[in-house]
Amino acid sequence: MQQRLTPATAGLLALAPLLWAGNAVVGRLMAGQVPPMTLNFLRWALASVLLVPATRWLLRADSPLWPHWRRFAVLGLLGVGCYNALQYLALKTSTPLNVTLVAASMPAWMIGMGAVFFGQRVSLRQLAGAALSIGGVLVVLSRGDWNVLLQVRLVPGDFFVLLATAAWAVYSWLLVRPGAPPEIRADWAAFLMAQMVFGLAWSGLFAAGEWLAAPQQIAWGWRVAAALAYIAIGPAILAYRSWGLGVQRVGPTIAGFFSNLTPLFAAMLSAAFLGELPHLYHGVAFALIIGGIVVSSRGDPRQ
Protein backbone atom coordinates (compact mmCIF):
# COMPACT_ATOMS: atom_id res chain seq x y z
CA MET A 1 0.00 0.00 0.00
CA GLN A 2 1.54 3.29 -1.08
CA GLN A 3 1.74 6.09 1.48
CA ARG A 4 1.87 9.84 1.39
CA LEU A 5 5.24 11.49 1.04
CA THR A 6 6.79 12.10 4.47
CA PRO A 7 10.04 13.92 5.34
CA ALA A 8 11.71 10.59 6.07
CA THR A 9 10.73 9.14 2.69
CA ALA A 10 11.74 12.36 0.96
CA GLY A 11 15.13 12.05 2.61
CA LEU A 12 15.53 8.50 1.29
CA LEU A 13 14.56 9.55 -2.23
CA ALA A 14 16.88 12.57 -2.12
CA LEU A 15 19.87 10.55 -0.88
CA ALA A 16 19.91 8.37 -3.99
CA PRO A 17 20.22 11.31 -6.45
CA LEU A 18 22.98 12.82 -4.32
CA LEU A 19 24.98 9.59 -4.48
CA TRP A 20 24.22 9.18 -8.19
CA ALA A 21 25.42 12.73 -8.85
CA GLY A 22 28.73 11.70 -7.31
CA ASN A 23 28.62 8.59 -9.47
CA ALA A 24 28.39 10.75 -12.60
CA VAL A 25 31.38 12.80 -11.49
CA VAL A 26 33.42 9.68 -10.77
CA GLY A 27 32.30 8.05 -14.02
CA ARG A 28 33.52 11.08 -15.94
CA LEU A 29 36.85 10.99 -14.10
CA MET A 30 37.25 7.29 -14.91
CA ALA A 31 36.64 7.78 -18.65
CA GLY A 32 39.85 6.69 -20.35
CA GLN A 33 41.09 4.84 -17.26
CA VAL A 34 38.55 2.00 -17.03
CA PRO A 35 36.34 0.82 -19.94
CA PRO A 36 32.67 1.68 -19.18
CA MET A 37 31.22 -1.84 -19.26
CA THR A 38 34.14 -3.10 -17.21
CA LEU A 39 33.69 -0.28 -14.69
CA ASN A 40 30.07 -1.31 -14.23
CA PHE A 41 31.05 -4.98 -13.79
CA LEU A 42 33.78 -4.17 -11.24
CA ARG A 43 31.38 -1.91 -9.35
CA TRP A 44 28.78 -4.63 -8.89
CA ALA A 45 31.34 -7.37 -8.29
CA LEU A 46 32.72 -5.40 -5.33
CA ALA A 47 29.22 -4.55 -4.08
CA SER A 48 28.22 -8.22 -4.18
CA VAL A 49 31.30 -9.22 -2.20
CA LEU A 50 30.34 -6.68 0.46
CA LEU A 51 26.80 -8.07 0.70
CA VAL A 52 27.67 -11.79 0.70
CA PRO A 53 28.20 -12.06 4.49
CA ALA A 54 24.63 -10.89 5.11
CA THR A 55 23.01 -12.85 2.28
CA ARG A 56 24.70 -16.27 2.18
CA TRP A 57 21.37 -18.00 2.75
CA LEU A 58 20.07 -16.52 -0.50
CA LEU A 59 22.66 -18.42 -2.54
CA ARG A 60 21.80 -21.88 -1.19
CA ALA A 61 20.24 -24.47 -3.49
CA ASP A 62 16.96 -24.38 -1.52
CA SER A 63 16.77 -20.57 -1.60
CA PRO A 64 13.41 -19.01 -2.61
CA LEU A 65 15.38 -17.00 -5.18
CA TRP A 66 15.66 -19.74 -7.79
CA PRO A 67 11.93 -20.41 -8.39
CA HIS A 68 11.61 -16.67 -9.13
CA TRP A 69 14.76 -16.36 -11.22
CA ARG A 70 12.96 -14.85 -14.22
CA ARG A 71 11.72 -11.87 -12.21
CA PHE A 72 15.12 -11.13 -10.72
CA ALA A 73 16.90 -11.74 -14.00
CA VAL A 74 14.84 -8.95 -15.56
CA LEU A 75 15.41 -6.62 -12.59
CA GLY A 76 19.12 -7.43 -12.72
CA LEU A 77 19.27 -6.73 -16.44
CA LEU A 78 17.55 -3.33 -16.19
CA GLY A 79 18.85 -1.99 -12.88
CA VAL A 80 22.31 -3.56 -12.65
CA GLY A 81 23.35 -4.69 -16.10
CA CYS A 82 22.05 -1.82 -18.25
CA TYR A 83 21.38 1.38 -16.36
CA ASN A 84 24.82 2.41 -15.15
CA ALA A 85 26.70 0.65 -17.95
CA LEU A 86 24.83 2.81 -20.47
CA GLN A 87 25.55 5.93 -18.41
CA TYR A 88 29.27 5.16 -18.19
CA LEU A 89 29.27 4.49 -21.93
CA ALA A 90 27.52 7.81 -22.59
CA LEU A 91 30.09 9.72 -20.53
CA LYS A 92 32.74 8.67 -23.03
CA THR A 93 31.03 10.26 -26.02
CA SER A 94 28.58 12.87 -24.74
CA THR A 95 28.94 16.09 -22.79
CA PRO A 96 27.68 16.35 -19.20
CA LEU A 97 25.13 18.95 -20.35
CA ASN A 98 23.61 16.63 -22.93
CA VAL A 99 23.64 13.63 -20.59
CA THR A 100 21.83 15.53 -17.87
CA LEU A 101 19.33 17.05 -20.28
CA VAL A 102 18.30 13.63 -21.56
CA ALA A 103 18.19 12.16 -18.05
CA ALA A 104 15.91 15.03 -17.01
CA SER A 105 13.13 13.26 -18.89
CA MET A 106 12.85 10.68 -16.07
CA PRO A 107 9.50 11.94 -14.64
CA ALA A 108 7.96 11.80 -18.10
CA TRP A 109 9.27 8.26 -18.59
CA MET A 110 7.90 7.23 -15.18
CA ILE A 111 4.46 8.64 -15.97
CA GLY A 112 4.42 7.27 -19.51
CA MET A 113 5.59 3.75 -18.62
CA GLY A 114 3.14 3.59 -15.73
CA ALA A 115 0.22 4.66 -17.89
CA VAL A 116 1.02 2.50 -20.93
CA PHE A 117 2.33 -0.74 -19.42
CA PHE A 118 1.22 -0.79 -15.78
CA GLY A 119 -2.31 0.63 -15.94
CA GLN A 120 -1.61 3.67 -13.77
CA ARG A 121 -3.74 6.81 -13.93
CA VAL A 122 -2.03 10.10 -14.70
CA SER A 123 -3.30 13.10 -12.75
CA LEU A 124 -3.06 16.76 -13.70
CA ARG A 125 -0.98 17.30 -10.56
CA GLN A 126 1.58 14.81 -11.79
CA LEU A 127 1.76 16.47 -15.20
CA ALA A 128 2.13 19.89 -13.58
CA GLY A 129 4.77 18.53 -11.23
CA ALA A 130 6.69 17.06 -14.15
CA ALA A 131 6.67 20.41 -15.94
CA LEU A 132 7.92 22.27 -12.85
CA SER A 133 10.59 19.70 -12.09
CA ILE A 134 11.97 19.53 -15.63
CA GLY A 135 11.83 23.33 -15.78
CA GLY A 136 14.07 23.48 -12.73
CA VAL A 137 16.59 21.18 -14.37
CA LEU A 138 16.62 23.31 -17.51
CA VAL A 139 17.24 26.44 -15.44
CA VAL A 140 20.32 25.01 -13.76
CA LEU A 141 21.65 23.47 -16.96
CA SER A 142 21.23 26.70 -18.90
CA ARG A 143 22.74 28.71 -16.03
CA GLY A 144 19.75 31.01 -16.33
CA ASP A 145 20.44 31.70 -20.01
CA TRP A 146 18.02 29.90 -22.33
CA ASN A 147 20.32 30.56 -25.31
CA VAL A 148 22.61 27.87 -23.91
CA LEU A 149 19.94 25.25 -24.57
CA LEU A 150 19.68 26.33 -28.21
CA GLN A 151 23.35 25.42 -28.68
CA VAL A 152 22.90 21.80 -27.57
CA ARG A 153 23.83 19.20 -30.21
CA LEU A 154 22.88 15.56 -29.74
CA VAL A 155 25.54 12.85 -30.19
CA PRO A 156 25.39 9.02 -30.04
CA GLY A 157 26.06 9.06 -26.29
CA ASP A 158 22.75 10.81 -25.70
CA PHE A 159 20.97 7.79 -27.16
CA PHE A 160 22.62 5.60 -24.51
CA VAL A 161 21.31 7.90 -21.77
CA LEU A 162 17.83 7.71 -23.26
CA LEU A 163 17.98 3.91 -23.16
CA ALA A 164 19.27 4.04 -19.58
CA THR A 165 16.42 6.34 -18.52
CA ALA A 166 13.80 4.10 -20.10
CA ALA A 167 15.36 1.03 -18.47
CA TRP A 168 15.30 2.71 -15.05
CA ALA A 169 11.65 3.71 -15.43
CA VAL A 170 10.61 0.12 -16.18
CA TYR A 171 12.87 -1.14 -13.38
CA SER A 172 11.23 1.19 -10.85
CA TRP A 173 7.73 0.06 -11.83
CA LEU A 174 8.73 -3.60 -11.60
CA LEU A 175 10.04 -2.99 -8.07
CA VAL A 176 6.53 -2.41 -6.74
CA ARG A 177 4.84 -5.28 -8.55
CA PRO A 178 3.83 -8.17 -6.27
CA GLY A 179 5.33 -11.61 -6.66
CA ALA A 180 8.69 -11.47 -4.90
CA PRO A 181 9.10 -14.05 -2.11
CA PRO A 182 8.21 -12.39 1.23
CA GLU A 183 11.44 -13.50 2.90
CA ILE A 184 13.45 -11.78 0.17
CA ARG A 185 11.25 -8.68 -0.03
CA ALA A 186 11.46 -8.19 3.74
CA ASP A 187 15.29 -8.24 3.72
CA TRP A 188 16.65 -5.24 1.79
CA ALA A 189 20.14 -6.79 1.45
CA ALA A 190 18.69 -10.03 0.12
CA PHE A 191 16.38 -8.16 -2.27
CA LEU A 192 19.30 -6.20 -3.70
CA MET A 193 21.53 -9.28 -3.78
CA ALA A 194 18.85 -11.22 -5.66
CA GLN A 195 19.07 -8.61 -8.42
CA MET A 196 22.86 -8.50 -8.28
CA VAL A 197 23.22 -12.26 -8.73
CA PHE A 198 21.76 -12.00 -12.21
CA GLY A 199 22.83 -8.42 -12.86
CA LEU A 200 26.44 -9.38 -12.29
CA ALA A 201 26.08 -12.08 -14.92
CA TRP A 202 24.60 -9.56 -17.36
CA SER A 203 27.28 -6.94 -16.68
CA GLY A 204 30.01 -9.59 -16.93
CA LEU A 205 28.64 -10.62 -20.33
CA PHE A 206 28.64 -6.99 -21.50
CA ALA A 207 32.18 -6.45 -20.19
CA ALA A 208 33.41 -9.58 -21.95
CA GLY A 209 31.92 -8.33 -25.20
CA GLU A 210 33.68 -5.01 -24.67
CA TRP A 211 37.08 -6.69 -24.38
CA LEU A 212 36.40 -9.00 -27.32
CA ALA A 213 35.27 -6.13 -29.55
CA ALA A 214 38.48 -4.10 -29.13
CA PRO A 215 41.67 -4.08 -27.04
CA GLN A 216 41.10 -2.52 -23.61
CA GLN A 217 43.23 -1.56 -20.65
CA ILE A 218 42.77 -0.43 -17.05
CA ALA A 219 45.02 2.24 -15.54
CA TRP A 220 45.22 0.67 -12.08
CA GLY A 221 46.15 3.00 -9.23
CA TRP A 222 44.83 4.49 -6.03
CA ARG A 223 42.43 6.77 -7.94
CA VAL A 224 40.76 3.81 -9.64
CA ALA A 225 40.63 1.90 -6.35
CA ALA A 226 39.05 4.84 -4.55
CA ALA A 227 36.55 5.33 -7.38
CA LEU A 228 35.52 1.67 -7.27
CA ALA A 229 35.09 1.81 -3.49
CA TYR A 230 32.81 4.83 -3.76
CA ILE A 231 30.61 3.62 -6.62
CA ALA A 232 30.23 0.17 -5.01
CA ILE A 233 29.28 1.41 -1.54
CA GLY A 234 27.48 4.69 -2.26
CA PRO A 235 25.68 4.68 -5.63
CA ALA A 236 25.29 0.90 -5.66
CA ILE A 237 24.39 -0.37 -2.19
CA LEU A 238 23.22 2.74 -0.31
CA ALA A 239 21.49 4.48 -3.22
CA TYR A 240 19.68 1.35 -4.43
CA ARG A 241 18.55 0.61 -0.89
CA SER A 242 17.19 4.10 -0.28
CA TRP A 243 15.59 4.32 -3.73
CA GLY A 244 13.95 0.90 -3.46
CA LEU A 245 12.52 1.68 -0.04
CA GLY A 246 11.26 5.07 -1.17
CA VAL A 247 9.63 3.62 -4.29
CA GLN A 248 7.87 0.98 -2.20
CA ARG A 249 6.47 3.68 0.06
CA VAL A 250 5.17 6.27 -2.44
CA GLY A 251 5.31 4.57 -5.83
CA PRO A 252 7.47 5.12 -8.91
CA THR A 253 5.63 8.21 -10.22
CA ILE A 254 6.33 10.44 -7.23
CA ALA A 255 9.78 8.92 -6.77
CA GLY A 256 10.59 9.77 -10.37
CA PHE A 257 10.45 13.49 -9.62
CA PHE A 258 13.29 13.11 -7.13
CA SER A 259 15.54 11.86 -9.92
CA ASN A 260 15.64 15.44 -11.20
CA LEU A 261 17.61 16.35 -8.09
CA THR A 262 20.55 14.47 -9.63
CA PRO A 263 21.60 17.19 -12.11
CA LEU A 264 21.12 19.85 -9.43
CA PHE A 265 23.37 17.94 -7.04
CA ALA A 266 25.81 17.32 -9.90
CA ALA A 267 25.95 21.05 -10.61
CA MET A 268 26.62 21.76 -6.95
CA LEU A 269 29.36 19.13 -6.76
CA SER A 270 30.95 20.48 -9.92
CA ALA A 271 30.77 24.00 -8.53
CA ALA A 272 32.41 22.81 -5.32
CA PHE A 273 35.24 21.08 -7.17
CA LEU A 274 35.76 24.12 -9.39
CA GLY A 275 35.59 26.56 -6.49
CA GLU A 276 32.59 28.42 -7.93
CA LEU A 277 30.02 30.05 -5.66
CA PRO A 278 26.31 29.23 -6.06
CA HIS A 279 24.28 31.60 -8.25
CA LEU A 280 20.72 32.86 -8.12
CA TYR A 281 19.61 30.39 -10.77
CA HIS A 282 20.61 27.51 -8.48
CA GLY A 283 18.03 28.75 -5.99
CA VAL A 284 15.39 29.17 -8.70
CA ALA A 285 16.04 25.65 -9.99
CA PHE A 286 15.88 24.17 -6.51
CA ALA A 287 12.53 25.90 -5.87
CA LEU A 288 11.08 24.59 -9.16
CA ILE A 289 12.24 21.01 -8.56
CA ILE A 290 10.96 20.94 -4.98
CA GLY A 291 7.74 22.57 -6.20
CA GLY A 292 7.31 19.76 -8.72
CA ILE A 293 7.77 17.17 -5.98
CA VAL A 294 5.26 18.88 -3.67
CA VAL A 295 2.64 19.39 -6.39
CA SER A 296 2.91 15.82 -7.69
CA SER A 297 2.71 14.26 -4.22
CA ARG A 298 -0.47 16.06 -3.11
CA GLY A 299 -3.79 14.30 -3.29
CA ASP A 300 -4.37 10.57 -3.65
CA PRO A 301 -0.98 8.78 -3.45
CA ARG A 302 -2.29 6.02 -5.70
CA GLN A 303 -2.70 8.41 -8.62
Side-chain angles (χ1 to χ4, degrees), residues 156-183:
D158 302 322
F159 178 68
F160 295 131
V161 183
L162 191 61
L163 287 178
T165 305
W168 188 256
V170 176
Y171 167 82
S172 295
W173 278 109
L174 291 177
L175 280 180
V176 297
R177 288 179 67 85
E183 54 268 57

Side-chain angles (χ1 to χ4, degrees), residues 57-69 72 180-184:
W57 64 270
L58 187 70
L59 305 178
R60 297 196 304 258
D62 59 347
S63 167
L65 168 64
W66 309 120
H68 298 269
W69 70 268
F72 289 105
E183 54 268 57
I184 295 180

